[in-house]
Amino acid sequence: MDLFEYQGKLLYKEFDIKHPNSKLVKNLIEIQESVELSYPIVVKAQVQVGGRGKAGGIKIANNHEELIKYSDEIMGMDIKGHIVEILLLEEASKILEEYYISFTLDRSEKKYLIMLSSKGGMDIEEVAENNPDDLIKLYISPSEGLNTEVVNKAIKDSKLNQDYNDELNDVISKLYNLFVESDCDLVEVNPLAITNKGVSALDSKVSLDMNAVYRHDNFIDIEKEIPIPVSEQFAKEKNLNFIKLDGSVGIIGNGAGLVMSTLDVVSEYGGKAANFLDIGGGAKAETVTAALEVLESENNVKSVLINIFGGITRCDLVAEGIVEATKGKDLKWPIIVRLDGTNSKEGLAILLENSNEKITISSSMDDAAKLAVKGAN
Amino acid sequence: MSIFIDNETKVVVQGLTGEQGKFHALRNKAYGTKVVAGTRPGKGGETVEGIPIFNTVEDAIEETGANTAMTFVPPPFAKDAVLEAAYAGCELIVCITEGIPAKDEAEMYDLLKQKTSSRLLGPNCPGLISPGKSNVGIMPHEITMEGKVGVVSRSGTLTYQAVLELTNLNIGQSTCIGIGGDPVPGTSFIDVLDAFQNDIQTEAIVMIGEIGGSAEEEAAEFIKDNVTKPVVSYIAGLTAPPGKKMGHAGAIVSGNKGTASAKIEALTDAGANVVKNPTRIGQAIKDVI
């Protein structure tokens, strides 16, 4: 789950990572009189999209008058389709040097990866491409963790200012703690700056691993502040993995690979998927019923393809769910069902006993996809 | 021969008393797999349909000679369960559990490599089956038949699809393995490709990948230099939109990285026959054996 900059900075606070004094603004009335920050103040649009600076979403105010003017301009602004609803006001620092640092899990090495560069404040992918020597990569054993000597060497290798070695070492170990203890998929600071007030994390890009939500109560509160489309909200409540797409064939399947593949096969036969919907492993009848409900609220759906290959998922339960969702209903669209694998005979028997003229049973994935594409036209 | 499991495989099930664990362990047993024990702390001494339950994996190994663990325990306890099985001496640990935090997976992998010689398959995987010999996991054995094609995949349900296509054409399998769709799989494509290359029973290989990460590209490099047996491949996610996690935590196209086309290109370049639709896997294999 990708966080807003201000949410990342709240985590900085928790882990004692130095960052500018700030105020969060959701309504401009809050700053009408004055703000308890010293000028100059940076007004930053809170949007989850890159390039906000270029789009005019970051401005520096030297006095209260300018602050009101810029805040008014930026609030409500459309930045690449994202409407600004929250502003972060921060005391501006005098920047002496700008660095880049990020923490991720490297899937090839199966270790944590710290990337460090003295060329901060710019697009790091450009640095990696044009000046790869300026990007130091540090692989950390997840079971052993970080040690000071390794960090000192990285600071030296990446040519950061040695005068600030202790302070940099301190902030790097604190960022590492945040990355590990808060179960982050990503912590990126660009720039990590040396300012007239010392080392300061001026920006934040944090992404959380939602598989770890059970051990972090704050993840739920953070998640509530991140807007998602209405249909995805409903699917989420039902514990379904749903992604809206712009085609007309509604897709329900089990297992990420099979669902992705179903999208591809529908496309091969000239159709376009209306969504990605994975009911997951071991789905119950209710899950399937909920999945069909999610598609009912999607206007672009013209036909539905249910592609199930039972393993841990039992086809009899899937069939019960389909019957439950469609029994006695005048269906808006044709449903093509393909069931294979664990308890598929039982599942098909349930569908045959409760036949519905809009539901077609297909014996192969290919045929099912063809029928669903035809049904959507 | 088959890889990783055979007639001698003796399984201890971690989480046998849970609904999923019980359902699949009993299916494995009915298939002929030697499911010799289950574990559940505090329930040692009980039985589940005649299978003895022990408090620890160590006890189970001592009493039954189990050499393989199959793990169904929920995410918060999965890391400890896998490590327990490894420290107790299981050669193979098949972790079915879905939804384990990436940090736990990374730590678990690191410790297994440093301190044990156990092989971990998964997490978030369907396990493996050597038709006619043993089924350790949740794969529907009905669709399999014994034979000479090795199948390896990041996706559970797509593995089943591929196996069905083979069986429908009367082509049997040596071993079918799902390595799982999580960011830190204990066993990689390369580990499995290497084992298939060295397995006498296996004559051809099906490899099924998906978008995200670079495991398929790394596998392609390995195939180029080390695999002489024919490889048929399929990559899911050609039409997946960038920036969206497609179900699996690992299945995401970031910028221009991890795309299906890059993977297809790498595998084609390595000499694999990459089919555009999983239902064509059977025919493609038939053409080469």
Side-chain angles (χ1 to χ4, degrees):
Chain A
M1 180 175 65
D2 297 339
L3 307 193
F4 283 113
E5 178 194 3
Y6 77 88
Q7 293 177 310
K9 285 184 168 164
L10 288 173
L11 291 172
Y12 285 176
K13 199 169 178 182
E14 214 175 288
F15 284 82
D16 195 27
I17 296 155
K18 275 179 72 180
H19 59 286
N21 285 332
S22 67
K23 179 180 171 60
L24 196 66
V25 179
K26 291 182 177 168
N27 189 327
L28 296 181
I29 293 171
E30 299 163 43
I31 53 167
Q32 213 65 42
E33 297 297 319
S34 65
V35 283
E36 288 172 5
L37 294 173
S38 46
Y39 289 93
I41 291 172
V42 193
V43 183
K44 297 167 111 178
Q46 297 298 288
V47 279
Q48 290 187 321
V49 61
R52 62 181 171 165
K54 276 185 193 147
I58 299 179
K59 293 234 162 97
I60 297 177
N62 290 301
N63 50 52
H64 189 244
E65 196 184 335
E66 283 183 5
L67 180 74
I68 297 292
K69 180 170 176 271
Y70 295 146
S71 297
D72 195 44
E73 277 173 23
I74 296 173
M75 190 68 103
M77 189 184 260
D78 182 334
I79 300 178
K80 297 179 186 170
H82 296 243
I83 305 295
V84 180
E85 290 173 342
I86 303 170
L87 302 179
L88 183 66
L89 310 185
E90 284 187 336
E91 287 181 359
S93 333
K94 189 166 182 237
I95 299 170
L96 308 174
E97 290 178 50
E98 289 184 305
Y99 306 144
Y100 169 93
I101 189 164
S102 68
F103 302 73
T104 49
L105 171 66
D106 186 276
R107 289 167 54 174
S108 303
E109 295 292 325
K110 300 178 169 70
K111 286 179 162 55
Y112 300 149
L113 169 62
I114 303 180
M115 288 199 282
L116 195 56
S117 172
S118 59
K119 304 270 190 302
M122 56 178 92
D123 186 354
I124 202 64
E125 275 165 18
E126 275 172 34
V127 176
E129 191 146 317
N130 303 329
N131 308 76
D133 292 345
D134 285 332
L135 193 64
I136 298 292
K137 290 183 174 182
L138 202 58
Y139 292 96
I140 308 295
S141 150
S143 64
E144 287 164 12
L146 208 57
N147 76 60
T148 318
E149 280 160 40
V150 173
V151 177
N152 282 341
K153 184 173 182 304
I155 291 171
K156 203 171 160 197
D157 291 349
S158 51
K159 303 184 196 82
L160 308 193
N161 192 332
Q162 293 284 307
D163 297 346
Y164 293 86
N165 183 69
D166 291 353
E167 234 185 300
L168 285 166
N169 203 309
D170 181 62
V171 76
I172 291 171
S173 68
K174 282 171 177 167
L175 285 164
Y176 179 82
N177 290 345
L178 160 65
F179 172 69
V180 175
E181 288 169 27
S182 252
D183 278 291
C184 302
D185 283 335
L186 168 74
V187 173
E188 183 183 72
V189 191
N190 189 18
L192 174 71
I194 307 246
T195 71
N196 54 337
K197 297 167 197 163
V199 173
S200 182
L202 295 190
D203 196 5
S204 92
K205 203 167 162 190
V206 174
S207 185
L208 303 175
D209 175 7
M210 291 309 276
N211 276 349
V213 65
Y214 66 84
R215 57 187 177 206
H216 299 283
D217 292 342
N218 61 336
F219 280 21
I220 300 290
D221 298 327
I222 292 172
E223 188 178 29
K224 278 182 195 152
E225 294 185 23
I226 298 172
I228 56 169
V230 180
S231 52
E232 290 184 23
Q233 180 69 46
F234 179 67
K236 200 173 181 98
E237 282 164 17
K238 300 284 180 190
N239 245 333
L240 296 167
N241 210 320
F242 174 85
I243 297 166
K244 191 177 167 63
L245 302 168
D246 55 8
S248 56
V249 181
I251 310 276
I252 295 173
N254 66 320
L258 186 66
V259 182
M260 266 189 271
S261 179
T262 310
L263 263 55
D264 294 348
V265 174
V266 161
S267 156
E268 188 185 352
Y269 291 120
K272 212 166 172 214
N275 67 285
F276 170 100
L277 199 167
D278 178 9
I279 58 171
K284 299 275 183 291
E286 304 90 274
T287 321
V288 179
T289 310
L292 280 162
E293 278 170 24
V294 168
L295 294 193
E296 266 170 39
S297 55
E298 293 293 302
N299 292 326
N300 51 331
V301 174
K302 298 284 179 271
S303 72
V304 171
L305 168 53
I306 302 181
N307 188 14
I308 303 294
F309 212 126
I312 203 161
T313 303
R314 292 164 49 179
C315 291
D316 52 330
L317 298 181
V318 171
E320 279 173 22
I322 296 171
V323 171
E324 179 62 34
T326 56
K327 199 171 41 187
K329 271 192 196 161
D330 186 17
L331 292 170
K332 287 201 278 191
W333 13 251
I335 301 179
I336 322 299
V337 186
R338 180 274 179 129
L339 298 180
D340 251 314
T342 308
N343 291 6
S344 58
K345 274 183 199 151
E346 292 84 342
L348 292 170
I350 292 169
L351 289 180
L352 289 173
E353 274 164 36
N354 300 275
S355 64
N356 182 316
E357 58 172 15
K358 286 276 181 73
I359 300 180
T360 310
I361 295 169
S362 181
S363 61
S364 82
M365 172 160 166
D366 246 12
D367 290 344
K370 283 179 203 162
L371 287 173
V373 171
K374 203 173 152 208
N377 287 333
Chain B
M1 283 274 287
S2 50
I3 67 167
F4 304 151
I5 54 170
D6 56 28
N7 292 319
E8 299 310 309
T9 299
K10 289 183 181 171
V11 183
V12 49
V13 183
Q14 296 177 287
L16 179 62
T17 52
E19 190 190 347
Q20 296 285 12
K22 185 177 163 185
F23 180 81
H24 292 284
L26 293 177
R27 268 173 67 89
N28 288 172
K29 191 176 175 213
Y31 183 68
T33 310
K34 293 181 178 118
V35 180
V36 296
T39 57
R40 174 74 199 266
K43 295 215 172 166
E46 295 181 11
T47 58
V48 169
E49 310 268 333
I51 305 168
I53 304 291
F54 298 89
N55 287 323
T56 66
V57 177
E58 200 179 349
D59 290 351
I61 290 177
E62 203 177 298
E63 291 293 321
T64 65
N67 55 14
T68 295
M70 174 163 68
T71 305
F72 283 94
V73 304
F77 316 106
K79 181 179 90 178
D80 290 342
V82 167
L83 290 173
E84 184 199 337
Y87 294 150
C90 288
E91 294 156 26
L92 174 69
I93 302 157
V94 179
C95 184
I96 310 294
T97 310
E98 180 177 359
I100 301 175
K103 295 282 136 61
D104 288 12
E105 291 186 6
E107 273 179 43
M108 178 164 97
Y109 182 89
D110 213 28
L111 289 168
L112 288 182
K113 287 281 157 187
Q114 285 180 20
K115 302 190 174 171
T116 76
S117 56
S118 303
R119 167 178 298 289
L120 171 66
L121 181 63
N124 189 14
C125 82
L128 73 173
I129 180 169
S130 288
K133 301 187 185 85
S134 186
N135 185 9
V136 183
I138 60 175
M139 287 204 211
H141 59 80
E142 300 88 342
I143 57 167
T144 66
M145 67 181 272
E146 193 168 354
K148 50 194 179 186
V149 178
V151 179
V152 57
S153 168
R154 253 164 87 183
S155 151
T157 45
L158 263 182
T159 314
Y160 315 157
Q161 184 68 45
V163 170
L164 180 74
E165 301 297 338
L166 292 170
T167 300
N168 281 347
L169 294 179
N170 218 19
I171 302 168
Q173 305 90 40
S174 53
T175 304
C176 311
I177 297 192
I179 60 172
D182 277 1
V184 194
T187 294
S188 68
F189 276 131
I190 293 176
D191 298 331
V192 180
L193 290 168
D194 192 28
F196 279 145
Q197 173 66 25
N198 293 317
D199 174 38
I200 332 167
Q201 188 186 340
T202 305
E203 289 180 12
I205 302 166
V206 172
M207 178 186 139
I208 301 167
E210 61 189 35
I211 54 165
S214 55
E216 290 78 5
E217 284 88 338
E218 288 153 22
E221 280 297 309
F222 183 84
I223 290 170
K224 205 187 236 175
D225 300 336
N226 305 283
V227 179
T228 54
K229 297 177 181 177
V231 178
V232 168
S233 184
Y234 168 72
I235 304 293
L238 206 51
T239 58
K244 296 274 187 187
K245 268 186 196 172
M246 305 302 278
H248 282 158
I252 181 165
V253 173
S254 330
N256 52 8
K257 290 192 194 118
T259 63
S261 7
K263 292 170 189 297
I264 291 170
E265 201 186 308
L267 284 160
T268 308
D269 189 44
N273 175 12
V274 187
V275 294
K276 287 279 167 61
N277 177 323
T279 62
R280 266 164 236 149
I281 289 169
Q283 189 56 49
I285 282 288
K286 199 172 180 183
D287 293 345
V288 293
I289 55 173

PDB file of all heavy atoms in Angstrom, chain A residues 57 116 119 172 210 267 293 357:
ATOM      1  N   GLY A  57       2.567  21.796  -8.100  1.00  0.00           N
ATOM      2  CA  GLY A  57       2.007  21.355  -6.815  1.00  0.00           C
ATOM      3  C   GLY A  57       2.908  21.612  -5.615  1.00  0.00           C
ATOM      4  O   GLY A  57       2.577  21.221  -4.499  1.00  0.00           O
ATOM      5  N   LEU A 116      22.141   4.008  -2.260  1.00  0.00           N
ATOM      6  CA  LEU A 116      22.587   5.285  -1.728  1.00  0.00           C
ATOM      7  C   LEU A 116      23.301   6.049  -2.841  1.00  0.00           C
ATOM      8  O   LEU A 116      24.083   5.470  -3.590  1.00  0.00           O
ATOM      9  CB  LEU A 116      23.562   4.965  -0.580  1.00  0.00           C
ATOM     10  CG  LEU A 116      23.956   6.035   0.411  1.00  0.00           C
ATOM     11  CD1 LEU A 116      22.728   6.636   1.074  1.00  0.00           C
ATOM     12  CD2 LEU A 116      24.866   5.414   1.478  1.00  0.00           C
ATOM     13  N   LYS A 119      23.891  11.865  -5.600  1.00  0.00           N
ATOM     14  CA  LYS A 119      23.124  12.636  -6.584  1.00  0.00           C
ATOM     15  C   LYS A 119      21.631  12.555  -6.262  1.00  0.00           C
ATOM     16  O   LYS A 119      20.874  11.896  -6.966  1.00  0.00           O
ATOM     17  CB  LYS A 119      23.360  12.092  -7.998  1.00  0.00           C
ATOM     18  CG  LYS A 119      24.832  12.040  -8.410  1.00  0.00           C
ATOM     19  CD  LYS A 119      25.246  13.340  -9.067  1.00  0.00           C
ATOM     20  CE  LYS A 119      26.613  13.264  -9.719  1.00  0.00           C
ATOM     21  NZ  LYS A 119      27.698  12.888  -8.816  1.00  0.00           N
ATOM     22  N   ILE A 172      20.432   6.660   8.773  1.00  0.00           N
ATOM     23  CA  ILE A 172      20.322   5.443   7.961  1.00  0.00           C
ATOM     24  C   ILE A 172      19.862   4.264   8.828  1.00  0.00           C
ATOM     25  O   ILE A 172      18.993   3.492   8.427  1.00  0.00           O
ATOM     26  CB  ILE A 172      21.656   5.130   7.232  1.00  0.00           C
ATOM     27  CG1 ILE A 172      21.911   6.192   6.149  1.00  0.00           C
ATOM     28  CG2 ILE A 172      21.628   3.735   6.605  1.00  0.00           C
ATOM     29  CD1 ILE A 172      23.287   6.135   5.509  1.00  0.00           C
ATOM     30  N   MET A 210       0.851  -5.146   3.201  1.00  0.00           N
ATOM     31  CA  MET A 210      -0.421  -5.368   3.889  1.00  0.00           C
ATOM     32  C   MET A 210      -0.587  -6.800   4.405  1.00  0.00           C
ATOM     33  O   MET A 210      -1.490  -7.069   5.188  1.00  0.00           O
ATOM     34  CB  MET A 210      -1.600  -4.948   3.002  1.00  0.00           C
ATOM     35  CG  MET A 210      -1.681  -3.449   2.801  1.00  0.00           C
ATOM     36  SD  MET A 210      -1.617  -2.497   4.353  1.00  0.00           S
ATOM     37  CE  MET A 210      -3.359  -2.574   4.851  1.00  0.00           C
ATOM     38  N   SER A 267      -8.507 -11.658 -24.481  1.00  0.00           N
ATOM     39  CA  SER A 267      -7.958 -10.682 -25.416  1.00  0.00           C
ATOM     40  C   SER A 267      -7.573 -11.353 -26.741  1.00  0.00           C
ATOM     41  O   SER A 267      -7.794 -10.802 -27.821  1.00  0.00           O
ATOM     42  CB  SER A 267      -6.756 -10.000 -24.767  1.00  0.00           C
ATOM     43  OG  SER A 267      -5.887  -9.489 -25.718  1.00  0.00           O
ATOM     44  N   GLU A 293     -21.720 -10.179  -7.020  1.00  0.00           N
ATOM     45  CA  GLU A 293     -22.319  -8.903  -6.603  1.00  0.00           C
ATOM     46  C   GLU A 293     -21.444  -7.726  -7.022  1.00  0.00           C
ATOM     47  O   GLU A 293     -21.944  -6.682  -7.445  1.00  0.00           O
ATOM     48  CB  GLU A 293     -22.508  -8.880  -5.080  1.00  0.00           C
ATOM     49  CG  GLU A 293     -23.774  -9.588  -4.626  1.00  0.00           C
ATOM     50  CD  GLU A 293     -23.812  -9.769  -3.111  1.00  0.00           C
ATOM     51  OE1 GLU A 293     -23.144  -9.000  -2.390  1.00  0.00           O
ATOM     52  OE2 GLU A 293     -24.505 -10.694  -2.660  1.00  0.00           O
ATOM     53  N   GLU A 357     -31.235 -20.278 -17.514  1.00  0.00           N
ATOM     54  CA  GLU A 357     -31.008 -20.166 -18.968  1.00  0.00           C
ATOM     55  C   GLU A 357     -29.868 -19.221 -19.353  1.00  0.00           C
ATOM     56  O   GLU A 357     -29.306 -19.331 -20.437  1.00  0.00           O
ATOM     57  CB  GLU A 357     -32.295 -19.769 -19.690  1.00  0.00           C
ATOM     58  CG  GLU A 357     -32.891 -18.466 -19.197  1.00  0.00           C
ATOM     59  CD  GLU A 357     -34.068 -18.025 -20.076  1.00  0.00           C
ATOM     60  OE1 GLU A 357     -34.573 -18.874 -20.851  1.00  0.00           O
ATOM     61  OE2 GLU A 357     -34.457 -16.853 -19.976  1.00  0.00           O
TER      62      GLU A 357
END
